[in-house]
Amino acid sequence: MKPTFLIGFMGSGKTTIAQLLADDFVDLDTVIVDKIGMSISDFFETFGEAKFRELETETLKNLSKTNQIISTGGGIVMSEENRRFLKDADVNVIYLEGDFDELYERILADKENIRPVAMSHTREALFDIYQHRVDLYDSIATHKIHVTGKTPEEIVKEIQL
Ligand code: S3P
């Protein structure tokens, strides 16, 4: 199987689905956290978002050489370099597409993941970011699965690689 990247907005279930698809899945954010030795929100606070995006690009490029199922952070599509890389590589890119209302509820309910991009914006501002990103996810996806109202098991069944 080709390397398979899961993309989508925060709260769309990328890590959960990757976990169900393969025991040896890799979560890009976890690789970054292991590398930097601090949480993503602490890193944002100390070094800023731009530095995080640099690390994200570097990690993305390294991972695509080795691993089969990779969940990415919701902002991976913000960089043109990342989009070009994923589009040109011979990989599957699965976009987990969800309605904003549901994603927002999940982000708020998730006490384990402190997401600096969500924390630093109002609901309205986050909706603008969502709308902007939706087109970017679409532009690089090889597969698209609508996730709203579905269980992780239902979503996995729909993923045909
Ligand atoms: C981000 C999403 C997060 C993480 C970072 C930035 C974003 O990942 O990479 O906090 O810009 O959307 P999840 O999509 O897994 O929450």
Side-chain angles (χ1 to χ4, degrees):
M1 194 177 61
K2 291 181 195 178
T4 297
F5 290 85
L6 295 173
I7 65 166
F9 202 66
M10 293 170 268
S12 59
K14 301 175 294 281
T15 309
T16 305
I17 300 302
Q19 213 163 359
L20 290 172
L21 287 172
D23 288 338
D24 61 349
F25 83 102
V26 175
D27 180 65
L28 201 146
D29 278 344
T30 304
V31 174
I32 295 176
V33 166
D34 290 347
K35 199 185 290 184
I36 61 187
M38 63 171 83
S39 70
I40 291 178
S41 53
D42 284 347
F43 189 87
F44 263 60
E45 228 171 83
T46 314
F47 300 103
E49 178 170 353
K51 199 79 201 145
F52 173 78
R53 298 298 174 200
E54 277 175 29
L55 276 174
E56 194 175 39
T57 298
E58 184 188 307
T59 311
L60 169 71
K61 289 186 175 178
N62 285 333
L63 284 182
S64 58
K65 289 180 204 138
T66 46
N67 297 296
Q68 300 289 60
I69 303 280
I70 300 139
S71 51
T72 63
I76 199 90
V77 290
M78 297 309 289
S79 144
E80 215 240 312
E81 185 178 355
N82 295 353
R83 293 199 301 276
R84 198 169 349 100
F85 180 78
L86 286 169
K87 218 170 159 52
D88 292 349
D90 186 23
V91 298
N92 296 311
V93 180
I94 303 179
Y95 170 25
L96 300 182
E97 181 214 25
D99 294 349
F100 180 77
D101 287 346
E102 187 187 59
L103 300 181
Y104 190 69
E105 288 306 316
R106 286 199 203 161
I107 293 167
L108 288 189
D110 186 348
K111 302 293 174 220
E112 271 173 41
N113 285 316
I114 307 299
R115 297 172 163 108
V117 174
M119 294 305 115
S120 60
H121 291 87
T122 60
R123 189 183 196 285
E124 287 67 32
L126 202 60
F127 181 62
D128 288 344
I129 294 175
Y130 167 85
Q131 280 193 307
H132 173 66
R133 288 186 183 177
V134 159
D135 291 337
L136 301 178
Y137 297 129
D138 257 329
S139 73
I140 60 166
T142 58
H143 301 62
K144 182 161 141 179
I145 311 280
H146 194 68
V147 300
T148 295
K150 292 178 189 162
T151 64
E153 289 71 22
E154 286 169 331
I155 295 163
V156 166
K157 267 194 206 145
E158 277 188 46
I159 298 178
Q160 312 268 336
L161 297 172

